[in-house]
Amino acid sequence: MAEFALILVSTILVNNFVLVKFLGLCPFMGVSSKLETAMGMGLATTFVLTLSSATSELANVWLLEPLGIEYLRTITFILIIAAIVGFTEMVVHKTSPLLYKVLGIYLPLITTNCAVLGVALLNVSENHGFLGSLLYGFGASIGFTLVLVLFAAMRERINAADVPEPFRGGSIALITAGLMSLAFMGFTGLIPG
Amino acid sequence: MLTAIISIGLLAAALGLVLGYASIRFKVEGDPIVDQIDAVLPQTQCGQCGFPGCRPYAEAIARGEAEINRCPPGGEATINALADLLGKEPIPLDEERGTTPEEPLIAFINEDICIGCTLCIQACPVDAIIGAAKQMHTVIRDECTGCDLCPPACPVDCIDMIPIPKKLDDWVWDTPKEKLIVEPAS
């Protein structure tokens, strides 16, 4: 139990995928200009990341390792992620048209989110096991959503602020992201000893 | 090598089957009757029926909230088609909504008079008018639906509704007005 809690805290704060491991930076910069879209993206990513993390682990243990074809890991995982994203899109479209409207274009975009593939590959190299992978994926996506929403809220404020001319737009966003990253590195202090 | 090809191929095929099944199982159906009604309407998006376009009018008909005789651009042909589709009796066109033109018309901007106010651009429901502020405007003939919404918007009355000009590739002989076959004198 303590181990699982540790995984969650570690992925959400200490080893945050966006700000410490620098994965999934494209959606982080791309869809963070509005708070609502950031929440939609976070929600969709949480769902897909958790599911694909567990499924990839299963495929690795039951398919790749028994057949001795671990070198095809990346292509297999990409295949699984793409299929899950497509499946999710169809199910959401059918069961909840409202959610489908909110998520919109962000659902298919998740396929190209490098954090999703990164989590699946890290699961293998760090030997998390099935439950561990599930939690690892869930924690990673919660961490992703957390910083995405925080960053979007900041950018909305920055848009209204008096930023010097040369720093407007993308530059101030990158500087802010860097400062956030520095702040998140401070969570490393949570690890005892 | 062979194992790898077969196993990845099988995995891909299995995932493809799941997706294929899901696309049938979770198929989202629109309201088919609305689509059918919308297909019959002339798509002028003119709003003369009192709804903001053809699709909302089709939805209102499907809900039973509107009569089928509120579409002047479609005229009698549309009313008959709608009556046929919905199993209702054809009723005459609601004259309050406007009158059906004799032949299809499109808007024409007299470019010498146009002052470039952009008011007609804002009135056009299908974006068939191009131009910019204080620049001459013109109508894209292929896009114009002849909805008659831009002439009232023009402050200098430079828009006329004209019959669609004949071009070489759509010109046909006029239908003969007199009988071609002369009855043999008995």
Side-chain angles (χ1 to χ4, degrees):
Chain A
M1 205 56 224
E3 189 197 347
F4 293 145
L6 196 67
I7 287 184
L8 272 184
V9 174
S10 144
T11 45
I12 295 176
L13 297 176
V14 183
N15 284 322
N16 188 289
F17 265 78
V18 180
L19 293 179
V20 179
K21 288 203 202 295
F22 305 118
L23 285 171
L25 281 176
C26 5
F28 180 66
M29 299 306 290
V31 291
S32 56
S33 47
K34 262 198 200 138
L35 200 53
E36 292 99 58
T37 53
M39 285 193 182
M41 184 66 176
L43 216 64
T45 314
T46 305
F47 189 82
V48 172
L49 193 53
T50 313
L51 210 58
S52 70
S53 168
T55 325
S56 309
E57 174 68 18
L58 283 184
N60 186 55
V61 173
W62 293 97
L63 185 79
L64 298 181
E65 280 178 359
L67 293 174
I69 45 171
E70 285 95 341
Y71 55 91
L72 288 174
R73 203 171 272 149
T74 310
I75 194 168
T76 315
F77 287 180
I78 284 283
L79 196 67
I80 290 172
I81 290 167
I84 288 180
V85 169
F87 185 76
T88 312
E89 194 184 356
M90 280 186 254
V91 173
V92 170
H93 196 175
K94 175 76 175 181
T95 51
S96 160
L98 184 72
L99 188 64
Y100 185 75
K101 249 184 204 165
V102 174
L103 298 184
I105 181 69
Y106 303 116
L107 265 178
L109 269 182
I110 298 168
T111 322
T112 55
N113 188 339
C114 43
V116 181
L117 182 64
V119 166
L121 290 173
L122 280 174
N123 277 334
V124 176
S125 63
E126 291 180 16
N127 280 326
H128 281 135
F130 179 69
L131 255 183
S133 309
L134 198 73
L135 272 179
Y136 196 68
F138 184 67
S141 51
I142 293 294
F144 176 78
T145 312
L146 178 74
V147 292
L148 191 63
V149 169
L150 285 179
F151 190 53
M154 274 190 197
R155 278 184 84 172
E156 280 191 355
R157 285 292 186 92
I158 289 172
N159 274 344
D162 185 21
V163 181
E165 189 81 39
F167 291 118
R168 293 225 174 121
S171 359
I172 193 72
L174 281 170
I175 293 170
T176 317
L179 290 175
M180 272 181 90
S181 177
L182 278 180
F184 264 73
M185 299 235 173
F187 283 119
T188 318
L190 282 178
I191 302 170
Chain B
M1 179 68 191
L2 203 61
T3 344
I5 294 175
I6 293 173
S7 56
I8 297 298
L10 281 180
L11 181 69
L15 288 174
L17 279 179
V18 170
L19 281 185
Y21 173 72
S23 73
I24 298 168
R25 172 75 178 71
F26 296 106
K27 193 170 188 178
V28 177
E29 283 166 13
D31 196 351
I33 192 72
V34 174
D35 287 331
Q36 285 173 21
I37 297 174
D38 197 38
V40 170
L41 293 174
Q43 303 303 321
T44 51
Q45 317 297 346
C46 62
Q48 291 181 71
C49 51
F51 295 95
C54 293
R55 181 93 197 170
Y57 180 41
E59 283 165 8
I61 295 178
R63 285 196 304 266
E65 288 171 9
E67 280 299 336
I68 58 173
N69 62 346
R70 298 170 71 158
C71 184
E76 211 184 314
T78 299
I79 293 174
N80 286 338
L82 283 175
D84 216 27
L85 178 69
L86 302 170
K88 291 185 180 174
E89 285 296 310
I91 39 178
L93 183 72
D94 188 353
E95 294 292 333
E96 284 175 27
R97 298 286 162 195
T99 48
T100 311
E102 288 291 310
E103 53 184 329
L105 299 174
I106 57 168
F108 174 76
I109 294 178
N110 190 331
E111 290 162 359
D112 296 333
I113 312 177
C114 175
I115 55 170
C117 65
T118 74
L119 287 178
C120 57
I121 296 181
Q122 294 156 32
C124 182
V126 291
D127 289 342
I129 300 177
I130 48 173
K134 297 191 178 169
Q135 307 287 322
M136 179 191 77
H137 300 349
T138 197
V139 176
I140 309 169
R141 283 182 180 165
D142 292 342
E143 299 294 325
C144 180
T145 59
C147 66
D148 212 15
L149 286 181
C150 48
C154 183
V156 292
D157 282 339
C158 73
I159 305 179
D160 296 315
M161 299 305 290
I162 57 166
I164 296 174
K166 286 270 183 263
K167 280 178 287 194
L168 267 182
D169 49 359
D170 61 359
W171 185 85
V172 287
W173 289 100
D174 288 338
T175 43
K177 295 209 168 41
E178 289 167 36
K179 280 182 184 169
L180 286 179
I181 302 166
V182 182
E183 304 257 331
S186 55

